[in-house]
Amino acid sequence: MAYDDSQLRRHGADVTDPLGRPQPFGGDSRDPRDVQAVHHTSGLSTYPDSTSAVSSQDLEDVYDDEDGDDDRDRLGVHWTWELLLLLAVGGLSVLLWQSDPAAVRGEALSELLGVAAAILLLGTAAALSLRAGVPNLAIGPVAAASAVYFAQRGAEGVMVPTAVAVAAAAGLGVAVALLVAGIQVPAWAASLAAAAGGVVWLYQQPPEVALTGAFDPTGRAPALLLAVVALSVLGGLLGTIAPIRRALGRFRPTGDPAERPGILAALSATVALVLSMVLAAVAGVLLAAAEGVPVAGSSGSRWLELTVIGFAVALVGGTSAFGQRGGVFGTTLAAFGFVLFDRYQDAQGWQIAPLATAAVAVAVGLVVTRLVERLGRPSADTDEDLWSEPSAATQPESTARPGDTWSATDAWTSALPAQPAPDNPWRDRWSR
């Protein structure tokens, strides 16, 4: 087998022996594996044009998969899980109807639908922030503070106190976004600071605030719930479109989380944080009006309860805690399931606190996240493929042509020639 040294000469490579002495080119007396070893250590490829510097744009393209056929998120696991959620919601509906038929009739049903709309808004706010990779821990305090403010100013009508609460929540979202996207800090930490500010404001209010005004959303609860469901499902459907999903989830860390992901990622994070704050504020107003009871101010920990409920609904609905991945109907079904279970356990006299139910739901949601991350990506990216050696069936075929001197694969995989073991007189003596 003859070896052409023209490629090495074009690169100006000096071939030396292990002692650093120059060796002539073109000799066939050398072992071919020696040539391959020198070729390997010189850092040259058989095909000089096949390698180039990898830029940050190349890495970004690898992650974004701009070819339009992004298969990083397989929706089969979401459809399967949402089918199971639908069966669970149907079962809870039957159990509640059998246990307390009055709970699904008349005014009680309208109140249940109004509360479900508020819980769904909270879950949608949490799911939006999670999918954008910026979990917003301030949704609970924002919802609780909006409920208190609406209860205090309900006599002024519906639009004015709601608009003030929404504007304050949006401003808080912008402030959090400046920290998260401006100086690149974790969203959970920045939103935790915002949550603390909301809790401080709540502690300055009376223990309970009576609901003022005559606004009662139970009369139009079906329409409100339908609008909220449409909003949640529309967001899920948009998330199935690959470019939108990639743009929304660009803040999800893929390497060093302290690196700046770019302007588009900062913009998507800002929009997600502001919208999640706004949705939480509307959820608090709707929850206060639907329940029709005095709103907890400085007493209790309703803000913590609402935070955990929102993230429990989002996680159980199939939204990944790592960001980007999520379903379509999961958040809606999870919200219905949470409200139905709360009404059912109350009818049974179990007296399970909503916070306890939400805590268990968060644990279940984390398991769902693991399933979504494990089964929601192509098989080439699964954990087994990452940690196991590729099988012979999956080995790439050699691209070497019959006339090639040696292939790039051979240049990197060939071993050095076997060296004879040195004579050891001591071994011979001791082996006698």
Side-chain angles (χ1 to χ4, degrees):
M1 182 183 299
Y3 292 86
D4 185 10
D5 59 352
S6 61
Q7 295 177 355
L8 295 179
R9 292 186 183 277
R10 279 201 305 269
H11 292 280
D14 294 328
V15 181
T16 60
D17 63 5
L19 297 180
R21 294 172 297 188
Q23 297 293 324
F25 287 92
D28 289 338
S29 60
R30 292 179 297 168
D31 190 274
R33 290 173 296 182
D34 293 337
V35 179
Q36 294 178 5
V38 172
H39 183 75
H40 178 103
T41 56
S42 63
L44 300 179
S45 172
T46 304
Y47 305 102
D49 296 332
S50 62
T51 58
S52 61
V54 179
S55 63
S56 60
Q57 181 63 35
D58 295 333
L59 295 178
E60 183 174 327
D61 292 341
V62 168
Y63 173 68
D64 284 346
D65 192 13
E66 294 294 342
D67 57 25
D69 186 18
D70 183 14
D71 59 352
R72 289 184 178 275
D73 292 337
R74 295 188 299 181
L75 295 178
V77 61
H78 293 285
W79 298 124
T80 303
W81 177 247
E82 288 171 3
L83 178 60
L84 295 177
L85 286 178
L86 179 61
L87 296 176
V89 169
L92 285 173
S93 301
V94 173
L95 291 175
L96 180 60
W97 179 76
Q98 292 177 346
S99 177
D100 186 9
V104 291
R105 295 175 183 171
E107 185 177 352
L109 177 60
S110 298
E111 180 184 346
L112 185 146
L113 295 180
V115 173
I119 297 300
L120 179 54
L121 276 176
L122 271 179
T124 304
L128 176 61
S129 67
L130 283 175
R131 292 196 69 162
V134 284
N136 187 0
L137 300 183
I139 59 173
V142 167
S146 298
V148 170
Y149 184 80
F150 179 79
Q152 293 173 341
R153 303 300 180 93
E156 301 177 4
V158 179
M159 297 304 299
V160 174
T162 302
V164 172
V166 167
L172 187 62
V174 171
V176 173
L178 288 176
L179 292 175
V180 174
I183 62 176
Q184 187 64 25
V185 296
W188 64 265
S191 61
L192 186 62
V199 173
V200 169
W201 186 86
L202 287 172
Y203 282 163
Q204 295 176 353
Q205 309 307 312
E208 288 187 348
V209 179
L211 184 63
T212 60
F215 175 67
D216 186 5
T218 57
R220 54 181 69 90
L224 288 174
L225 179 61
L226 183 61
V228 176
V229 169
L231 176 65
S232 178
V233 173
L234 178 61
L237 288 174
L238 290 176
T240 61
I241 303 175
I244 296 179
R245 181 175 64 250
R246 290 194 301 264
L248 180 62
R250 289 177 70 95
F251 218 84
R252 167 173 168 153
T254 57
D256 185 358
E259 291 183 356
R260 295 181 181 274
I263 297 178
L264 182 58
L267 180 61
S268 64
T270 300
V271 172
L273 286 170
V274 173
L275 285 182
S276 63
M277 293 289 191
V278 170
L279 293 177
V282 177
V285 171
L286 186 57
L287 191 61
E291 290 180 341
V293 296
V295 178
S298 58
S299 63
S301 56
R302 188 69 187 278
W303 57 271
L304 176 61
E305 177 182 301
L306 295 178
T307 301
V308 180
I309 289 175
F311 279 94
V313 168
L315 292 173
V316 172
T319 304
S320 174
F322 296 103
Q324 185 177 355
R325 295 187 171 94
V328 178
F329 302 97
T331 304
T332 300
L333 294 172
F336 288 166
F338 182 87
V339 175
L340 289 172
F341 178 79
D342 185 64
R343 290 294 190 270
Y344 175 71
Q345 65 87 20
D346 186 57
Q348 293 293 324
W350 293 344
Q351 297 181 351
I352 301 176
L355 182 59
T357 303
V360 175
V362 167
V364 174
L366 294 177
V367 176
V368 175
T369 288
R370 185 65 267 166
L371 293 176
V372 167
E373 291 292 331
R374 176 64 176 82
L375 303 176
R377 52 185 173 179
S379 58
D381 292 336
T382 56
D383 297 340
E384 294 179 359
D385 294 327
L386 291 175
W387 291 100
S388 60
E389 293 293 336
S391 61
T394 60
Q395 288 285 357
E397 297 181 0
S398 176
T399 59
R401 297 179 295 274
D404 290 340
T405 305
W406 64 79
S407 65
T409 305
D410 294 333
W412 287 99
T413 58
S414 299
L416 291 174
Q419 299 293 333
D423 295 334
N424 190 348
W426 296 102
R427 182 183 61 185
D428 298 335
R429 292 183 180 182
W430 286 105
S431 59
R432 293 176 182 176

